[in-house]
Amino acid sequence: MGLIDWSNALIAAPMLEVARIAEYGGLSPAFATGYQLTPDMTAALDRETGIACRLYTVVMLCVLFLAQLQHREQAERQIIRLEELLRRLGGINAI
């Protein structure tokens, strides 16, 4: 069983989809099994490309929540997450 959100569909590397699912909070063991995620694929979420894909998702969520005033708390959480990911990405480049 699956769900396709055609309103937000795009052609991209599978890592972007996995990063989206992770940032949405849906990266469960059941999803990992169904998607056939390997430990290497999951670990890639914490490397430069995975973090960049997570950033893409978080920026999208920031814009979405900021555009809807009733979602101010969610927007603030996403902005905090954005700052966290930017620090992590900066830390990778500094190594």
Side-chain angles (χ1 to χ4, degrees):
M1 183 186 313
L3 173 67
I4 299 174
D5 180 1
W6 290 109
S7 66
N8 199 9
L10 61 106
I11 297 172
M15 176 55 64
L16 182 57
E17 182 176 23
V18 174
R20 280 183 172 186
I21 297 298
E23 289 302 317
Y24 294 157
L27 192 54
S28 66
F31 176 86
T33 299
Y35 202 88
Q36 298 180 344
L37 285 180
T38 64
D40 209 32
M41 291 169 71
T42 304
L45 285 169
D46 294 322
R47 293 193 291 268
E48 193 170 53
T49 301
I51 293 172
C53 290
R54 287 175 177 263
L55 277 168
Y56 166 83
T57 302
V58 170
V59 168
M60 179 185 62
L61 291 171
C62 284
V63 170
L64 175 72
F65 293 139
L66 286 170
Q68 301 175 19
L69 295 178
Q70 69 267 28
H71 294 289
R72 183 174 176 88
E73 282 185 29
Q74 290 171 300
E76 289 173 0
R77 282 195 303 270
Q78 291 303 317
I79 290 169
I80 291 167
R81 178 67 174 149
L82 176 66
E83 291 168 343
E84 174 189 322
L85 288 170
L86 285 171
R87 281 192 302 276
R88 286 177 61 191
L89 192 58
I92 289 173
N93 291 332
I95 294 175

